[in-house]
Amino acid sequence: MSTILIINGAESREPMATGRLSEHLAETARAELEPSMKVLTTRVQAGYDVAVEQRKFVEADVVLFQFPVFWFATPPTLKKYVDDVYEYGKFFGPGPAYGRGGLLGGRDYLVSTTWNATPDDFGTGQSIIAGRSVDEVLTAFHLTQQYVGLKPLPSFSEHDVVRGPDPQGAAHRLREHLRTHVSGELARATV
């Protein structure tokens, strides 16, 4: 049985951003994947033990990061988690070239994010992110995961979550994404 680590990076920034949708999506992922995978979870804002988290990464085949996007990046508590947990000699070391010393090879990761930006903001309009993809905006986060040897799966993103929240629709879309890109990928890998 494959193992997934779900890292819930939800963070509340009242009154505008409550973190409830990211909490809901992390729970949706757990409920969707638990029947077919061993599920490990971490809720970053609740605190964590670094050694325990490091063991979870070693055990996991897939790591799912669920978080709201704050200022085009992760919430500060998730950034601190990465700084604390990704230890030299355990997650990365010297390599043949910069960024090629990752020690977590053989594992995949998936980013699931919530945005106040609308899908149109990523198009050709007047938004400051126009013409960029979600993954391009989150380049630093992706490079960090690849630095430690994780391989990306297609990302999931939910948009317009403050003005036009749709928790049920978001949960449905995430379940479909997980069936295609986590459950489906793992099933194909074992054939």
Side-chain angles (χ1 to χ4, degrees):
M1 178 177 276
S2 296
T3 300
I4 187 164
L5 169 58
I6 299 172
I7 300 174
N8 178 352
E11 188 171 312
S12 177
R13 293 290 174 104
E14 299 286 348
M16 184 176 162
T18 64
R20 286 191 300 264
L21 183 56
S22 280
E23 294 279 359
H24 178 62
L25 293 176
E27 176 55 27
T28 296
R30 185 204 57 76
E32 174 65 28
L33 297 169
E34 204 163 49
S36 61
M37 301 179 79
K38 179 178 180 182
V39 177
L40 307 172
T41 61
T42 297
R43 187 174 176 269
V44 174
Q45 200 166 24
Y48 51 88
D49 176 281
V50 170
V52 170
E53 295 307 305
Q54 290 171 338
R55 285 192 297 272
K56 288 179 185 178
F57 271 88
V58 170
E59 186 176 349
D61 299 294
V62 179
V63 180
L64 187 155
F65 295 93
Q66 174 64 59
F67 60 92
V69 174
F70 289 175
W71 293 109
F72 313 103
T74 66
T77 54
L78 182 55
K79 172 65 168 92
K80 182 175 182 339
Y81 171 91
V82 169
D83 289 344
D84 292 344
V85 173
Y86 288 27
E87 184 179 334
Y88 179 83
K90 292 187 179 183
F91 279 48
F92 63 97
Y98 182 77
R100 300 294 183 207
L103 301 175
L104 297 180
R107 293 167 184 83
D108 297 324
Y109 77 97
L110 187 145
V111 173
S112 175
T113 53
T114 59
W115 299 72
N116 189 38
T118 69
D120 292 341
D121 291 326
F122 291 88
T124 58
Q126 298 301 309
S127 164
I128 64 169
I129 53 179
R132 293 181 179 92
S133 71
V134 165
D135 290 320
E136 287 171 327
V137 174
L138 296 175
T139 295
F141 187 78
H142 284 290
L143 288 174
T144 299
Q145 305 323 307
Q146 292 167 36
Y147 192 95
V148 298
L150 299 176
K151 180 180 158 217
L153 293 172
S155 298
F156 174 82
S157 58
E158 189 64 24
H159 300 271
D160 200 18
V161 301
V162 173
R163 293 176 302 233
D166 179 14
Q168 291 76 25
H172 172 75
R173 289 183 287 278
L174 178 59
R175 283 191 296 273
E176 290 298 315
H177 189 86
L178 294 173
R179 288 175 191 151
T180 300
H181 299 292
V182 175
S183 303
E185 282 295 318
L186 290 173
R188 284 187 287 280
T190 59
V191 173

